[in-house]
């Protein structure tokens, strides 16, 4: 079994993982030399190669807009129950 590898971190920001490293977290990643070629890669997955070549990956987007804005709905008020209507 391959030992799980993580890129080095600098001040909480991960260095660029390479093909074969485990993805440090979910997000949209692109080869560092082709930022328009984005791929969604999930945490723990192996960073893929591009056209059979090893590449260095760059994080493009980590957080999705809805995560920053919070939930799209309000939770029911405390104590609310359908049988009290």
């Amino acid at each position: 079994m391959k030992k799980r590898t993580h890129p080095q971190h600098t001040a909480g920001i991960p260095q660029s993982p390479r093909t074969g490293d485990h993805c440090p977290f979910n997000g949209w990643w692109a080869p560092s030399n082709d930022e328009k070629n984005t791929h969604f890669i999930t945490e723990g997955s192996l960073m893929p190669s591009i056209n059979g070549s090893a590449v260095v990956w760059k994080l493009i987007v980590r957080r999705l807009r809805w995560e920053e804005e919070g939930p799209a709905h309000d939770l029911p008020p405390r104590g609310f129950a359908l049988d009290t209507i």
Side-chain angles (χ1 to χ4, degrees), residues 4-6 17-26 29 40-48:
R4 195 171 257 219
T5 58
H6 290 282
R18 300 176 186 275
T19 295
D21 289 343
H22 287 271
C23 183
F25 40 73
N26 296 336
W29 295 83
F40 188 83
I41 303 174
T42 57
E43 181 178 349
S45 298
L46 290 177
M47 300 303 282

Side-chain angles (χ1 to χ4, degrees), residues 25-57:
F25 40 73
N26 296 336
W28 288 95
W29 295 83
S32 59
N33 61 351
D34 184 10
E35 291 185 19
K36 293 182 181 181
N37 187 8
T38 59
H39 302 267
F40 188 83
I41 303 174
T42 57
E43 181 178 349
S45 298
L46 290 177
M47 300 303 282
S49 61
I50 298 294
N51 298 324
S53 298
V55 295
V56 175
W57 290 88

Side-chain angles (χ1 to χ4, degrees), residues 41-85:
I41 303 174
T42 57
E43 181 178 349
S45 298
L46 290 177
M47 300 303 282
S49 61
I50 298 294
N51 298 324
S53 298
V55 295
V56 175
W57 290 88
K58 178 179 180 180
L59 182 65
I60 303 298
V61 177
R62 179 174 181 186
R63 295 187 62 111
L64 300 175
R65 188 173 356 145
W66 64 268
E67 289 178 319
E68 293 170 359
E69 295 172 357
H73 58 82
D74 293 325
L75 296 174
R78 186 178 198 118
F80 174 83
L82 289 175
D83 60 356
T84 61
I85 297 177

